[in-house]
Amino acid sequence: MTAYDRKQYIGLFGFGVVGESLYHVISNSPSSNADIIKICIKNPHKPRSLPPNMFCHEASQVISDPAINLVVELIDNAEEAFHIVCSALRAGKSVVSGNKKMLATHMDELVKLQEETGAALLYDASACGSIPVIRNLEEYYDTDLLLSITGILNGSSNYILSQAFHEQHSYEEALAKAQELGFAESNPALDVDGLDAVYKLTLLTLHGFGLLVDPDSIFRSGIRGIKPADIRFARERGYRIKPIAQARKFNGNKLALFVMPKLVTPDEYIYNVENEYNGVVIEGTYYDKQFMFGKGAGGFPTGSSVLSDIMARTHQYRYEYKKRRYLTPPAPDNDIQMEVYFSYRNPNDLQLMDFIEITEQYGSRDHYFVIGRVSLQKLFDISDSLSSSGIFLACIRLVDDQRT
Ligand code: HSE
């Protein structure tokens, strides 16, 4: 039997934006050697675009079906998804999933389960939509020369910032449009408060550095507090505002991890990454910087990435998590400093911050900002307060002398 004879008979969970797009993508890719034969859905009353006999409502109807050799999980609820994925792996069926929250919060158990059962779990679609970043980090960046992964990992936040910056749309209008276009999570707080990017950064850190971190240990600050004055500030100084996630080695084998907006200059690769596009800059000793760019959200881009994982199973590809075995993983550490732009409406909010050095300060009747140096640990300590109304925080740069 050649690898190509291994047809994938798919049991699909979920027929939302991505599930339906996957069906369309497979139907229009005649060489794909994969068929969706059953779709398990939650809501039996919702009108569907396929004949009723394609659908079922009990997970066991997919998991126990001997004709199905691959489960594709594309549902919203992370705990239900975890249950489905575990049941499928235990039944010896490999799984493709796009559920970043489920993956980032249960990865330890999922790696063990793959080892125990021999079944595989692939999830390139869970980070950066159509950009093949996980498989690349796993296979190509297979040494300890990797220094940093910096990316726009959330399409919705990038869309909102682009629309506010270039089209003068309000935050609320742009968020509503991101929801309408199917980019945003069903709970968009996950997008705009940075949690979605934290989950994705957890996955990139695992495959890039061989290190599994607790998503709750990553500092995050979202875009909810952005004000027209912040956009004016950025425009006047020649910046664009991008929602970034970063994992960066410093001081030898320490690793700083954070998710926050950044004021980006025209010489940075991600400066022109707009709307729902994502961009990832991979930096290493000897090879300097490389840049991957593509659509990070939306049904068809994500469905295409799911299909790529399905095809990878045709060739029996699996993640080996090799770096966890042979690299000394870097140690997560928040003892790094960065220059930030801290903007606020209530003058008392400045007390929250513990600036090591202030280089610029401005105040008017209803808008204040400070530019200065802070430690990542201090930001982590006050993260809850940073979500207060009117506060917007953006990284300008990491302090250079701490680079590896
Ligand atoms: N809500 C996510 C985003 C979808 O906006 O990036 C893709 O993971």
Side-chain angles (χ1 to χ4, degrees):
M1 189 162 82
T2 66
Y4 202 71
D5 294 328
R6 269 183 225 109
K7 181 158 179 159
Q8 301 300 303
Y9 294 97
I10 297 167
L12 173 64
F13 283 87
F15 203 60
V17 175
V18 180
E20 195 162 355
S21 301
L22 172 67
Y23 190 90
H24 183 89
V25 170
I26 292 182
S27 310
N28 286 283
S29 170
S31 63
S32 64
N33 207 24
D35 259 349
I36 295 176
I37 60 173
K38 206 175 273 180
I39 305 170
C40 187
I41 48 166
K42 211 170 176 176
N43 183 353
H45 306 297
K46 201 168 157 186
R48 306 284 175 178
S49 54
L50 294 175
N53 63 359
M54 286 289 293
F55 295 97
C56 66
H57 308 290
E58 293 296 329
S60 59
Q61 290 173 274
V62 171
I63 305 290
S64 324
D65 186 337
I68 289 173
N69 59 8
L70 184 72
V71 166
V72 176
E73 176 286 302
L74 298 173
I75 68 169
D76 196 41
N77 183 302
E79 286 316 302
E80 282 175 28
F82 179 57
H83 186 71
I84 290 165
V85 172
C86 290
S87 312
L89 292 173
R90 285 199 188 100
K93 294 188 200 302
S94 291
V95 181
V96 172
S97 169
N99 198 313
K100 50 252 159 158
K101 179 175 181 185
M102 182 272 295
L103 295 159
T105 51
H106 290 291
M107 186 52 79
D108 231 354
E109 296 132 284
L110 293 168
V111 172
K112 281 192 195 112
L113 208 48
Q114 290 177 75
E115 283 164 4
E116 280 164 28
T117 61
L121 172 61
L122 298 184
Y123 41 82
D124 221 305
S126 63
C128 301
S130 65
I131 308 177
V133 65
I134 293 182
R135 223 181 297 161
N136 255 293
L137 286 170
E138 174 76 17
E139 304 301 338
Y140 184 83
Y141 299 92
D142 193 19
T143 65
D144 51 10
L145 298 179
L146 184 66
L147 290 179
S148 69
I149 304 168
T150 309
I152 296 175
L153 308 186
N154 185 263
S156 302
S157 299
N158 200 35
Y159 181 85
I160 293 167
L161 292 176
S162 298
Q163 294 292 309
F165 201 92
H166 298 294
E167 311 294 335
Q168 281 79 44
H169 286 156
S170 72
Y171 170 87
E172 289 76 17
E173 281 168 347
L175 172 57
K177 196 81 198 296
Q179 287 178 289
E180 193 188 307
L181 291 168
F183 304 151
E185 300 298 301
S186 55
N187 171 8
L190 294 173
D191 296 297
V192 297
D193 293 335
L195 209 46
D196 178 78
V198 161
Y199 297 138
K200 292 166 177 169
L201 184 63
T202 304
L203 299 173
L204 301 193
T205 302
L206 171 63
H207 289 279
F209 294 99
L211 175 73
L212 183 56
V213 291
D214 176 356
D216 288 339
S217 69
I218 298 179
F219 169 71
R220 69 182 160 90
S221 180
I223 62 164
R224 211 186 265 273
I226 195 158
K227 303 172 283 302
D230 302 318
I231 292 173
R232 254 192 331 269
F233 169 87
R235 200 176 280 129
E236 281 167 15
R237 307 270 174 125
Y239 293 117
R240 285 184 184 163
I241 308 174
K242 300 289 167 196
I244 67 145
Q246 186 162 102
R248 171 175 290 277
K249 270 185 170 175
F250 69 105
N251 280 355
N253 211 24
K254 293 180 177 178
L255 192 73
L257 293 151
F258 57 90
V259 167
M260 65 195 295
K262 182 174 190 303
L263 300 179
V264 175
T265 50
D267 58 334
E268 295 182 66
Y269 290 147
I270 55 174
Y271 184 80
N272 288 312
V273 178
E274 301 287 4
N275 293 312
E276 78 274 28
Y277 280 84
N278 284 184
V280 185
V281 180
I282 294 172
E283 191 182 4
T285 321
Y286 306 121
Y287 50 81
D288 202 7
K289 286 187 184 138
Q290 292 157 350
F291 180 48
M292 299 175 81
F293 167 75
K295 285 198 169 174
F300 290 132
T302 313
S304 308
S305 178
V306 174
L307 178 56
S308 175
D309 275 349
I310 293 169
M311 292 312 292
R313 280 311 298 157
T314 306
H315 308 291
Q316 296 195 308
Y317 177 78
R318 60 189 302 127
Y319 304 131
E320 292 176 59
Y321 306 96
K322 312 186 268 282
K323 293 175 201 171
R324 293 186 88 187
R325 287 197 292 276
Y326 63 70
L327 291 188
T328 306
D333 197 312
N334 286 338
D335 185 24
I336 191 168
Q337 293 175 13
M338 62 173 82
E339 186 177 39
V340 297
Y341 164 83
F342 176 67
S343 138
Y344 51 104
R345 278 208 171 109
N346 176 349
N348 296 330
D349 285 341
L350 183 57
Q351 292 163 14
L352 289 172
M353 298 288 278
D354 186 8
F355 280 104
I356 298 160
E357 184 188 21
I358 288 180
T359 47
E360 190 175 340
Q361 199 157 4
Y362 167 87
S364 65
R365 197 160 37 86
D366 60 353
H367 176 227
Y368 305 82
F369 75 77
V370 169
I371 293 175
R373 192 154 48 94
V374 283
S375 78
L376 181 57
Q377 183 58 49
K378 178 64 195 174
L379 294 178
F380 186 83
D381 293 343
I382 59 164
S383 359
D384 289 345
S385 317
L386 290 173
S387 54
S388 310
S389 117
I391 290 184
F392 180 70
L393 179 74
C395 175
I396 297 177
R397 64 182 183 98
L398 287 177
V399 174
D400 266 335
D401 54 10
Q402 293 174 318
R403 291 275 296 276
T404 292

